Amino acid sequence: MRLLRSTDLALRVLMRLAVAAGTLPTTRQVAADMDVPYTHAAKVVAELQHLGLVDARRGRGGGLALTAEGRTASVGAVVRTFEGDGDVVDCEGTAGTAPCPLNAACRLRGALRRAQEAFYAALDPITLAELVTDPTGPLLLGISRGPQGG
């Protein structure tokens, strides 16, 4: 299973903010640190804020910070939210393709659904705090470009 770019970025943003150590990086700084387009980062940050995982403040002294809920968030829950609950394959033909002719008698769809749920279940007990323990946390701090983004 391959994660959507937005899911991957959401996890990396959360991890980056988890090691911010009292600083409030901006969305622009986080985008630069993660080497992603600002507009993509801004959309992901807006969704993380909507989910209550990130607090975003504008203006002088503003920036991004994890909320208490963000610090203890389950990786599985974050991935589920960003990936959605759709099937791994499009058996119904909802993406502009014809429905699968095996749909009525196929066992693959159920097997893939169980595999998808096992994937999420493996991520459920992992918290964001666990993701940033050594050696990841120090590496994240090393890629930070500091308060001025450069």
Side-chain angles (χ1 to χ4, degrees):
M1 183 172 163
R2 178 177 285 256
L3 296 178
L4 297 171
R5 286 180 58 211
S6 57
T7 306
D8 174 44
L9 182 56
L11 292 170
R12 290 191 290 146
V13 166
L14 290 170
M15 291 168 63
R16 170 62 185 86
L17 295 178
V19 297
T23 64
L24 296 174
T26 65
T27 302
R28 197 166 300 282
Q29 288 168 318
V30 170
D33 289 349
M34 298 296 145
D35 196 24
V36 297
Y38 168 76
T39 54
H40 190 56
K43 288 178 188 175
V44 167
V45 166
E47 180 63 18
L48 291 170
Q49 185 179 11
H50 175 76
L51 295 170
L53 303 177
V54 170
D55 182 32
R57 297 182 197 148
R58 292 178 172 244
R60 179 169 237 149
L64 305 174
L66 283 181
T67 62
E69 185 178 341
R71 292 195 180 283
T72 60
S74 159
V75 172
V78 173
V79 172
R80 265 190 194 87
T81 299
F82 276 84
E83 291 292 312
D85 60 357
D87 288 324
V88 176
V89 293
D90 181 20
C91 300
E92 305 296 328
T94 57
T97 61
C100 176
L102 302 175
N103 197 13
C106 182
R107 293 185 176 175
L108 179 60
R109 184 180 191 177
L112 290 173
R113 171 56 85 179
R114 287 187 298 278
Q116 181 181 28
E117 282 306 313
F119 172 75
Y120 290 141
L123 296 174
D124 282 340
I126 302 169
T127 65
L128 184 61
E130 291 176 67
L131 290 181
V132 296
T133 59
D134 285 348
T136 307
L139 180 62
L140 282 164
L141 286 172
I143 64 169
S144 172
R145 296 192 171 124
Q148 300 305 315

